[in-house]
Amino acid sequence: MKGLSDCRVKYGPWLRDALKRWEGLGIFRGDDVTCYGQRGGGRGPGWLHALYDPVSAIDLDKFTKSNHFLNKYSYIEFLHEYNGADLFSDALSLYGLHILTSDRCTFSAARIPTDLVSENIGFSDYLDKYDGIIIGSSTLVSPALFMEISGGGVISVERPDSTHEPPVCIRGEWASFDDFFFGEVTRLNSCFGAEGEYLGLFSSGPSRQVV
């Protein structure tokens, strides 16, 4: 398992550079979260991107010892660096862990990552069929779930209206989490303008029916 410093070289500088174009719209530093690209509308200002600070390596190690299924997936490397992320107005949401420690007794209701463990509960048909875990989702254009599957690949599948619906369509496939992460962030960068506006260029990638 890689340490935090190893993963920061892998993800951190690259992601911060990718989000730099929106720094002019504002940066917010809160408890356990950094937000980029302030946007108006709705009941108040929102943010184009939110990066959640990692839990400590000690707490993450304790968590994975009691939830050892996580250790077989490369997504754990990302969790060493970020405890999830909401990118491009939730076009790419990567789930985090809700770990309470002596330093964190509660979670702020304002901005927290979607909980990876609770989001996997109820999707047994998906988990069994692909031998994987759900690591994130997209709410842009058409809802989708992202799964890392056994062997290290990542797939996107249609998000059902009910957890009891069987999986029916694979929209996209990537050889590894890194291919998925770097590729999707790069692609989505071209789908949003300088003011954070959606340009309507979103493509969900190739799809095929599950057999």
Side-chain angles (χ1 to χ4, degrees):
M1 183 180 297
K2 295 187 177 182
L4 179 59
S5 60
D6 297 322
C7 293
R8 280 206 179 279
V9 172
K10 189 174 188 179
Y11 297 113
W14 184 90
L15 182 57
R16 289 193 295 273
D17 186 64
L19 304 184
K20 188 174 294 184
R21 61 184 292 217
W22 288 286
E23 288 182 356
L25 298 180
I27 300 176
F28 169 77
R29 176 64 186 166
D31 293 338
D32 304 319
V33 64
T34 301
C35 299
Y36 294 79
Q38 190 173 25
R39 305 177 66 195
R43 291 177 293 177
W47 296 92
L48 194 62
H49 312 287
L51 306 178
Y52 302 101
D53 292 351
V55 297
S56 72
I58 293 176
D59 288 326
L60 184 57
D61 183 57
K62 290 180 179 178
F63 185 86
T64 54
K65 283 181 178 177
S66 58
N67 297 271
H68 53 84
F69 68 93
L70 284 172
N71 286 319
K72 66 182 284 190
Y73 298 104
S74 59
Y75 187 61
I76 193 68
E77 296 181 10
F78 183 80
L79 291 176
H80 269 282
E81 181 172 355
Y82 294 114
N83 190 29
D86 294 318
L87 305 173
F88 302 99
S89 295
D90 297 333
L92 178 57
S93 290
L94 296 172
Y95 299 161
L97 303 173
H98 288 191
I99 301 177
L100 298 180
T101 67
S102 58
D103 296 328
R104 178 191 286 153
C105 299
T106 61
F107 284 97
S108 167
R111 195 96 202 195
I112 60 174
T114 302
D115 183 39
L116 183 148
V117 174
S118 64
E119 285 297 305
N120 275 270
I121 296 175
F123 285 97
S124 59
D125 287 345
Y126 284 72
L127 308 184
D128 292 343
K129 186 172 186 67
Y130 301 113
D131 188 19
I133 59 169
I134 298 168
I135 61 172
S137 62
S138 174
T139 59
L140 184 64
V141 181
S142 182
L145 297 172
F146 299 115
M147 297 183 64
E148 182 176 352
I149 59 177
S150 179
V154 173
I155 60 174
S156 64
V157 297
E158 293 179 349
R159 185 176 188 120
D161 294 328
S162 166
T163 58
H164 301 294
E165 294 182 22
V168 294
C169 185
I170 294 179
R171 293 181 176 176
E173 299 175 274
W174 298 264
S176 66
F177 174 77
D178 283 1
D179 285 350
F180 161 73
F181 176 76
F182 293 119
E184 285 300 280
V185 171
T186 299
R187 184 177 65 82
L188 287 168
N189 240 325
S190 67
C191 296
F192 288 79
E195 300 300 317
E197 72 278 18
Y198 170 54
L199 300 176
L201 304 175
F202 184 81
S203 171
S204 59
S207 65
R208 62 179 174 84
Q209 295 297 314
V210 176
V211 295

